[in-house]
Amino acid sequence: MNALLLAAGKGTRLRPLTEHTPKCLVTVGGLPLMDIWLAGLWQAGFTRFLINTHHLSKIVEAYLARHPLHASVETVFETELLGTAGTLAANKDFCMQGTTLIAHADNFCMCDWSQFLHAHAHRPAGTVMSMMTFRTPTPQSCGIVQLDSRRVVERFFEKPSLPPDNLANAAIYLIEPAVMELLLASNPPMTDISTELIPKLLGKINTWHNDETVIDIGTEASLQYANDVCRDLAYSFSGSIVS
């Protein structure tokens, strides 16, 4: 299976840390976020990874060249940030080969990936995508979803000022080629998954709820929180997570 890991962001809210360290290489529980993503997905059965780069790209590429999974990893440099949907479109050949995971490699997620995959494999008829959801303490800063009786997304609110709930989009997806066909047929071209693609897929997005941990590593406080979670759970990524 393929995974497209989005890692091109500048991490401006984490400055000055991200002036010299790419956000995807910030450490949580003793290891860079990128290592946590690659190891967890590899152990779940993903065998090909495509990672987009932009900010401090040479540092990311050098890190990946030394990684134990380097033979399974490709990078693609964006001279200008394309946006999440724009990156999918620019790498359509990679994303059209079958079920593909899309995730932000500069966020922190702990879950049973096999359960996410199982939920997608047994998704309701007519759905072409599975979205990971979680409960957020800050619904105004997230995409909030409302589901039907099948747990399919029927309404979506991106960063609402008056959130109807706190069930949030984790921005982690499993997509089928039909999603790419819709994206590529769009005129004008889409640039953002949340604001442009998801609204066109209402009624066709299955969900799987993550009861463990999803944290947007966007600020020093959220980074500290992620490390606190690891500490409180006596959970550490120390040492090599990839054998």
Side-chain angles (χ1 to χ4, degrees):
M1 289 181 290
N2 292 351
L4 172 57
L5 299 179
L6 303 170
K10 297 179 180 180
T12 53
R13 292 177 296 159
L14 270 177
R15 289 176 178 165
L17 176 60
T18 49
E19 289 178 359
H20 304 288
T21 301
K23 189 181 172 190
C24 65
L25 297 186
V26 168
T27 58
V28 170
L31 277 186
L33 286 164
M34 180 63 74
D35 204 6
I36 297 168
W37 279 99
L38 289 174
L41 294 175
W42 178 264
Q43 292 163 5
F46 289 86
T47 56
R48 289 190 64 211
F49 303 92
L50 181 64
I51 299 168
N52 72 328
T53 66
H54 176 76
H55 178 60
L56 300 177
S57 61
K58 297 299 182 185
I59 297 176
V60 178
E61 291 163 5
Y63 174 82
L64 292 170
R66 300 189 302 269
H67 195 276
L69 296 178
H70 67 90
S72 298
V73 176
E74 300 175 56
T75 61
V76 56
F77 175 69
E78 295 182 3
T79 55
E80 295 183 5
L81 292 174
L82 301 175
T84 50
T87 296
L88 266 64
N91 297 283
K92 58 183 182 296
D93 291 343
F94 183 85
C95 297
M96 291 282 283
Q97 294 177 20
T99 303
T100 303
L101 182 131
I102 313 296
H104 293 264
D106 52 10
N107 288 336
F108 179 56
C109 174
M110 291 195 299
C111 71
D112 184 342
W113 291 107
S114 65
Q115 290 299 312
F116 189 31
L117 289 166
H118 181 270
H120 183 70
H122 296 84
R123 64 192 183 276
T127 57
V128 294
M129 173 179 181
S130 290
M131 170 194 292
M132 185 183 294
T133 61
F134 71 109
R135 291 289 177 182
T136 176
T138 57
Q140 296 89 346
S141 65
C142 298
I144 300 301
V145 298
Q146 290 185 333
L147 313 179
D148 66 15
S149 59
R150 302 178 302 159
R151 299 196 62 80
V152 171
V153 179
E154 62 179 1
R155 300 188 72 189
F156 183 76
F157 309 87
E158 180 64 12
K159 298 179 180 178
S161 57
L162 295 173
D165 196 359
N166 72 338
L167 184 64
N169 171 19
I172 301 171
Y173 315 103
L174 288 164
I175 67 170
E176 293 301 315
V179 173
M180 292 299 301
E181 292 170 3
L182 172 65
L183 187 155
L184 295 170
S186 176
N187 188 17
M190 297 183 193
T191 59
D192 190 82
I193 292 174
S194 294
T195 61
E196 297 174 273
L197 180 59
I198 288 176
K200 292 185 179 297
L201 287 169
L202 296 180
K204 297 182 179 181
I205 304 173
N206 175 50
T207 62
W208 177 78
H209 191 69
N210 183 354
D211 286 316
E212 295 188 52
T213 303
V214 177
I215 301 173
D216 173 8
I217 307 296
T219 64
E220 289 186 18
S222 61
L223 176 59
Q224 183 60 54
Y225 175 57
N227 278 291
D228 290 345
V229 167
C230 291
R231 183 198 64 219
D232 293 344
L233 294 175
Y235 187 76
S236 175
F237 297 108
S238 59
S240 176
I241 196 168
V242 180
S243 59

